[in-house]
Amino acid sequence: MFGFVVRRLLSSLLVILLASFAVFALFYLGPNNPAQPVCDSAGGSRCTPERLEAIEKSMGLDKPVVVAYGTFMKGIVAGREVTIGAATYDCDAPCLGIAYGSRGEVTEELKGRIVPTILIAVGGSIVYLVIGVTVGIMAAARRGSLGDRLLVSGSLIVSSIPYYLICLLAWLYLTLKTDIFPETGYFPITEDPLKTFSGLLLPCLVLGIASSPVYARYTRGQMVETLGDDYIRTARAKGLGGRTVLLKHGLRAAMVPIVTIFGLDFGILLAGTVFTEKIFGIDGIGRWGLDAISAPQDLPVLTATVLVGAIFIVISNLIVDLVYGALDPRVRLG
Amino acid sequence: MTTTANAPASSSTSGNEPYLVVDDLTVKFPTADGLVHAVSNLSYSVELGKTLGIVGESGSGKSVSSMAVLGLHDTRSARITGSIKVGGQEVVGLSEGKMREMRGNKAAMIFQDALAALHPFFRVGAQLAEAYLVHHPDASKKQARARAVEMLDRVGIPEPHSRVDDYPHQFSGGMRQRVMIAMGLINDPSLLIADEPTTALDVTVQAQILDLLQDLQREFNSAIVMITHDLGVIAEMADDVMVMYSGRAVEYGTVRTIMTKPEMPYTWGLLSSIPDVSSDVNTKMVPIPGTPPSLLTPPPGCAFEPRCTHRDKVAGGLCGTALPELRPASDGHGHLKRCHLTDADSIFQTEVLPDVAPATSEEN
């Protein structure tokens, strides 16, 4: 067990390094020159080729990508000085660089933006797990009934509507036109937790409700399969009640694949809920990354979001593997 | 055995009254392709301390009829008519709540593939204790666990105190079937239905399990319905035998009668299909040609007619047009057969027996 965790952690580390390097390299080798926006925004004097070259040199863009990546990684461990154009910034470890746009420390900005993303991911997940799994179980218990068929076709309709459209409509009608959710957005949790909650309620509900049909269908499928298994017949033959058979014996077995899928989905959500954050105007990881891709591109921010995303996904994968062993005694890890 | 239809219903069973009485049981399943006639007009009974063996191929209705005894069919999809009395209580049409009180308590069932039939994620002790607690709501968890250990010990599981905390996949096939039996017997049921309990096991383990079941039957004096397609199991275990084909009983009698003087060609076919290790290597194993008929559109005549090699011996092609009644066979006395052949006994002695067991027929 311990050996397994160590091996998985090492391979996870490799995945994270590779992901961050890939972004770094793509950015470096891409068609855009990171120094250009810095040169343009210098204000006053025009951006001359000489000036551009000087800025490139100051930013270390003239060096090979491997060297630049090495500098970046060293900064995470020990901190470093970052020069952009004429300005030099002192960046403490763990240093993810200085954002080209805001000229703030990426690490500090990350700390501020990670909280709303986590809150939305957790809130949304709770909503879609509760709704999706409950509805899925009910449909499986009454499979073939009118309610079951309505669920299956209804969930197909909901999941074929683009998510950003649902977000947009919810924001337009529930926040702008009516006062049902008047204050949507992120308010720092350290100041007024109640306001944080009410501000994120709509985004979480929208994210959760839009994702719940997928979970309902998946749960229903798993439950229907499980309820046809021999041990369910055994449970009934013992004289157990319908609810015990369904929720204890049935759900216990159907839960394993659901938890697996959930773990992976949750990791992806933590890496940034792009549409939700963008439309509801929440400064989270997703929106941050989206802005960093749009011109002018912001390499340090982009690298940071990819790094955080990779870490979340790798960790959730690891947790899924460990939880799987706990849930299914047949695959206990040796 | 079919005369109990008019017997007064009593809540307690006297010594001679059968514990399980099935009368004119019919089970149909509506499907997209039409109505499946899984079991038609089936009647049988089993006394306490006795074992009835039900033999037949897959799809002959032997499991379906037994599941009906415990009310395990989905009431929305199965159409059940007729009467099933367990310990005097009518089961057909019984409410789900009353049915639950009976399941696993008065009547229990053992399934064939114990690996599939035990929940893979719960410890066997928990599964046994659960079966006990559901019918003993006043018992504590500790008592239920002690009972689970006791039962594991009783069915011959070594070190039951530690094995009680193992998962089903940690047991061998035979041990798993023992766990299944322990679970079936944990509430001292008067009726035990064993649905091919040894099919998934090695032959040596099969014999051990059958021995165990016989021991337990002697101890608890329960009525056993043994469902199998293996006549060897029947010979070992059963007092009476019912042969089923295409949802109907086609022959019924004591195990001795069925093994030595069968009068239905399907039973002959079953006997001829048994590989006999002790016989001459030149003995032919004669498989029954063809496959059972569709249960969607049962043939008007005898269901076995298309596969029967003796149908020409019945005048006027009667086998293809008229369903034979289940009538007393030539040796009478409790031996019933569903066949138009009038001289079945002599055909068996002269034509069938030489193929099945050349040595015994020569002696005759």
Side-chain angles (χ1 to χ4, degrees):
Chain A
M1 184 68 187
F2 180 73
F4 170 81
V5 174
V6 169
R7 276 200 305 279
R8 279 301 305 264
L9 280 176
L10 286 177
S11 67
S12 304
L13 199 64
L14 193 68
V15 169
I16 292 165
L17 287 177
L18 282 175
S20 59
F21 182 72
V23 175
F24 218 82
L26 272 177
F27 193 90
Y28 249 75
L29 306 173
N32 294 321
N33 184 354
Q36 191 69 49
V38 179
C39 183
D40 288 341
S41 68
S45 55
R46 270 176 298 168
C47 179
T48 58
E50 295 77 32
R51 203 179 142 69
L52 186 64
E53 199 174 321
I55 290 173
E56 280 178 7
K57 203 173 173 85
S58 76
M59 290 168 76
L61 293 171
D62 53 337
K63 299 193 183 85
V65 60
V66 181
V67 175
Y69 185 69
T71 311
F72 175 77
M73 291 315 284
K74 204 186 114 206
I76 294 181
V77 182
R80 63 184 163 119
E81 280 195 343
V82 180
T83 312
I84 300 175
T88 299
Y89 302 87
D90 200 20
C91 178
D92 297 329
C95 168
L96 293 167
I98 299 294
Y100 294 165
S102 67
R103 297 294 165 94
E105 278 190 37
V106 173
T107 312
E108 289 308 312
E109 292 191 5
L110 177 66
K111 280 179 191 163
R113 286 164 191 266
I114 207 162
V115 180
T117 294
I118 291 176
L119 288 177
I120 293 173
V122 170
S125 299
I126 291 172
V127 172
Y128 71 64
L129 272 186
V130 169
I131 297 180
V133 172
T134 310
V135 170
I137 293 170
M138 287 182 354
R142 295 167 183 75
R143 64 184 170 283
S145 67
L146 184 68
D148 177 29
R149 272 178 259 170
L150 278 178
L151 166 88
V152 173
S153 44
S155 74
L156 209 63
I157 293 170
V158 173
S159 42
S160 47
I161 304 172
Y163 176 59
Y164 60 83
L165 194 63
I166 300 177
C167 262
L168 205 58
L169 290 174
W171 180 71
L172 272 177
Y173 284 94
L174 301 178
T175 299
L176 274 193
K177 290 213 165 180
T178 61
D179 269 350
I180 302 172
F181 292 97
E183 283 184 300
T184 298
Y186 177 65
F187 307 97
I189 194 159
T190 44
E191 288 163 19
D192 187 352
L194 202 66
K195 206 174 173 192
T196 312
F197 176 78
S198 66
L200 289 181
L201 188 58
L202 182 61
C204 288
L205 280 177
V206 169
L207 175 65
I209 290 169
S211 309
S212 57
V214 177
Y215 273 79
R217 273 218 314 277
Y218 191 64
T219 304
R220 179 192 175 278
Q222 291 299 331
M223 281 298 283
V224 165
E225 203 181 310
T226 302
L227 292 178
D229 279 339
D230 280 3
Y231 49 81
I232 296 299
R233 187 183 55 184
T234 310
R236 293 184 59 222
K238 283 188 202 176
L240 297 176
R243 189 181 292 256
T244 312
V245 173
L246 187 71
L247 295 181
K248 187 177 169 190
H249 290 249
L251 186 60
R252 176 65 181 76
M255 204 167 72
V256 177
I258 296 170
V259 167
T260 308
I261 293 291
F262 169 69
L264 303 181
D265 277 356
F266 188 62
I268 291 168
L269 278 188
L270 285 176
T273 48
V274 179
F275 285 127
T276 319
E277 290 170 16
K278 183 79 185 168
I279 287 167
F280 291 106
I282 296 161
D283 277 332
I285 303 280
R287 189 182 175 192
W288 199 34
L290 190 67
D291 291 345
I293 299 179
S294 341
Q297 288 168 336
D298 202 330
L299 174 65
V301 172
L302 205 58
T303 317
T305 56
V306 169
L307 212 56
V308 168
I311 289 171
F312 277 136
I313 289 171
V314 159
I315 289 178
S316 58
N317 267 297
L318 182 65
I319 292 174
V320 162
D321 281 348
L322 295 176
V323 167
Y324 196 82
L327 285 178
D328 188 342
R330 292 170 301 181
V331 294
R332 291 276 148 89
L333 307 154
Chain B
M1 62 143 217
T2 51
T3 56
T4 46
N6 299 322
S10 60
S11 55
S12 68
T13 47
S14 59
N16 294 325
E17 194 179 339
Y19 190 76
L20 170 65
V21 181
V22 174
D23 189 46
D24 201 27
L25 176 69
T26 296
V27 183
K28 292 176 190 168
F29 298 102
T31 67
D33 296 326
L35 204 58
V36 172
H37 300 257
V39 174
S40 305
N41 311 103
L42 190 71
S43 300
Y44 64 85
S45 59
V46 194
E47 288 170 26
L48 288 176
K50 296 285 184 192
T51 300
L52 171 73
I54 302 183
V55 216
E57 288 167 291
S58 313
S60 61
K62 49 194 198 313
S63 291
V64 171
S65 58
S66 310
M67 299 241 312
V69 173
L70 286 192
L72 287 177
H73 291 298
D74 189 342
T75 46
R76 287 171 304 180
S77 66
R79 293 188 198 159
I80 303 174
T81 57
S83 158
I84 300 171
K85 286 205 175 91
V86 177
Q89 185 176 35
E90 179 59 54
V91 164
V92 175
L94 195 63
S95 73
E96 178 64 17
K98 294 264 190 217
M99 202 79 215
R100 267 209 309 269
E101 283 173 27
M102 192 196 80
R103 272 186 215 136
N105 196 14
K106 280 164 74 181
M109 197 154 176
I110 299 172
F111 299 100
Q112 57 167 306
D113 180 0
L115 184 60
L118 291 168
H119 201 294
F121 300 161
F122 295 126
R123 297 171 198 278
V124 299
Q127 300 192 46
L128 262 75
E130 185 184 42
Y132 183 73
L133 280 172
V134 69
H135 295 295
H136 296 83
D138 297 334
S140 68
K141 287 197 166 172
K142 210 175 161 188
Q143 284 169 318
R145 184 185 158 88
R147 175 75 179 153
V149 174
E150 183 191 336
M151 285 310 293
L152 288 179
D153 187 36
R154 182 62 199 84
V155 297
I157 298 213
E159 297 176 53
H161 287 279
S162 58
R163 299 309 309 262
V164 72
D165 290 323
D166 280 348
Y167 289 95
H169 71 274
Q170 291 168 306
F171 288 80
S172 67
M175 287 297 155
R176 230 171 357 238
Q177 193 54 270
R178 284 170 196 264
V179 171
M180 193 85 233
I181 293 171
M183 196 156 85
L185 295 176
I186 199 160
N187 294 312
D188 296 331
S190 299
L191 171 66
L192 185 66
I193 299 172
D195 189 354
E196 309 214 19
T198 57
T199 303
L201 303 175
D202 290 344
V203 271
T204 48
V205 181
Q206 276 189 19
Q208 291 169 5
I209 295 292
L210 294 178
D211 275 353
L212 172 68
L213 277 173
Q214 280 180 315
D215 276 359
L216 293 168
Q217 184 179 32
R218 272 193 288 275
E219 189 176 328
F220 297 107
N221 193 37
S222 43
I224 294 186
V225 174
M226 173 71 80
I227 302 166
T228 183
H229 58 254
D230 186 346
L231 279 175
V233 171
I234 292 293
E236 168 104 357
M237 286 286 295
D239 297 298
D240 292 326
V241 184
M242 178 166 71
V243 181
M244 283 189 76
Y245 188 78
S246 193
R248 291 179 196 276
V250 294
E251 190 157 13
Y252 184 98
T254 62
V255 68
R256 200 177 165 75
T257 314
I258 298 296
M259 290 296 172
T260 56
K261 291 181 185 167
E263 295 198 12
M264 162 77 195
Y266 177 64
T267 315
W268 301 344
L270 287 180
L271 285 167
S272 313
S273 307
I274 310 173
D276 185 356
V277 284
S278 61
S279 73
D280 185 348
V281 284
N282 295 321
T283 310
K284 272 190 293 178
M285 208 173 88
V286 193
I288 305 173
T291 50
S294 159
L295 292 168
L296 284 168
T297 47
C302 172
F304 190 58
E305 184 263 345
R307 302 170 73 185
C308 184
T309 50
H310 302 276
R311 60 177 174 233
D312 299 335
K313 296 180 180 101
V314 175
L318 198 59
C319 293
T321 53
L323 176 70
E325 296 290 313
L326 192 63
R327 277 190 303 254
S330 60
D331 58 346
H333 216 77
H335 184 190
L336 300 167
K337 62 158 184 175
R338 191 186 287 280
C339 183
H340 287 306
L341 285 173
T342 45
D343 49 352
D345 189 41
S346 63
I347 295 175
F348 179 71
Q349 297 297 341
T350 55
E351 294 182 33
V352 184
L353 205 54
D355 275 343
V356 179
T360 42
S361 66
E362 276 160 31
E363 283 163 26
N364 289 343

